[in-house]
Amino acid sequence: RLELEPVTADHAAELAVVLDDLDLHRFTGGVPLSLEDLTERYGLLTARQSPDGRYLWGNWTLRLRETGAAIGTVQATLPASGPGGAPAEVAWIVAGPAQGRGYASEAARSLTDRLVAEGWSVAAFIHPGHFASQKVARAAGMAVTEVVRDGEQCWFRER
């Protein structure tokens, strides 16, 4: 049901409207980025790696195949040293009007399955009160751990 496109600065105008929702930041903090800030952020992400070269970045726009509408993003951060080191970290965000239809689960499961097939363990850090994201993590084969970072619980799937 979804198509993924690598995020570019050109996606900022469309996604700024889709993600301009304070409720999307309830568990992650912050506020929606301005068009200018989102354009800058997406421009940096097109490098597909951190400035120091330690991490590889995968960031995709989620589109409904049926309509072509952008509904959110999915991302993976991978240590450049490869699957033998730290796990890949994944995250997702789906706009409010598209929530509750399984899109986040579909995207997270697809991404996680692919990473595991390529030899990665996968982690997602989720606020303990964000039950919808916990459900997505479960659908992607992850289980909660005792690890907490910045107040978020680590959900983990072994390679």
Side-chain angles (χ1 to χ4, degrees):
R1 298 179 308 160
L2 298 173
E3 291 185 0
L4 280 67
E5 294 177 0
V7 167
T8 68
D10 293 338
H11 289 104
E14 183 178 21
L15 286 170
V17 175
V18 171
L19 303 177
D20 187 16
D21 180 353
L22 285 174
D23 199 44
L24 293 176
H25 297 268
R26 182 171 20 136
F27 295 106
T28 59
V31 295
L33 294 176
S34 68
L35 175 56
E36 181 180 300
D37 289 342
L38 198 60
T39 301
E40 182 179 335
R41 175 173 168 69
Y42 288 173
L44 292 173
L45 295 177
T46 61
R48 308 286 182 238
Q49 69 177 358
S50 61
D52 62 9
R54 293 178 53 215
Y55 297 97
L56 305 176
W57 294 333
N59 296 271
W60 298 270
T61 297
L62 299 176
R63 288 193 184 281
L64 295 178
R65 183 168 288 155
E66 186 176 309
T67 65
I71 61 164
T73 62
V74 65
Q75 68 182 50
T77 301
L78 300 91
S81 59
E89 291 188 22
V90 298
W92 50 85
I93 187 165
V94 172
Q99 291 178 5
R101 296 186 175 108
Y103 297 130
S105 292
E106 184 176 329
R109 185 174 43 251
S110 176
L111 178 58
T112 301
D113 286 350
R114 185 173 191 150
L115 289 166
V116 168
E118 292 177 6
W120 292 91
S121 295
V122 181
F125 287 85
I126 301 171
H127 187 281
H130 199 323
F131 302 121
S133 276
Q134 292 171 19
K135 185 176 177 182
V136 170
R138 270 190 220 94
M142 295 183 215
V144 69
T145 71
E146 298 296 320
V147 175
V148 176
R149 182 177 76 193
D150 298 329
E152 295 181 324
Q153 294 174 300
C154 178
W155 287 71
F156 191 77
R157 179 172 167 188
E158 191 66 51
R159 61 175 156 232

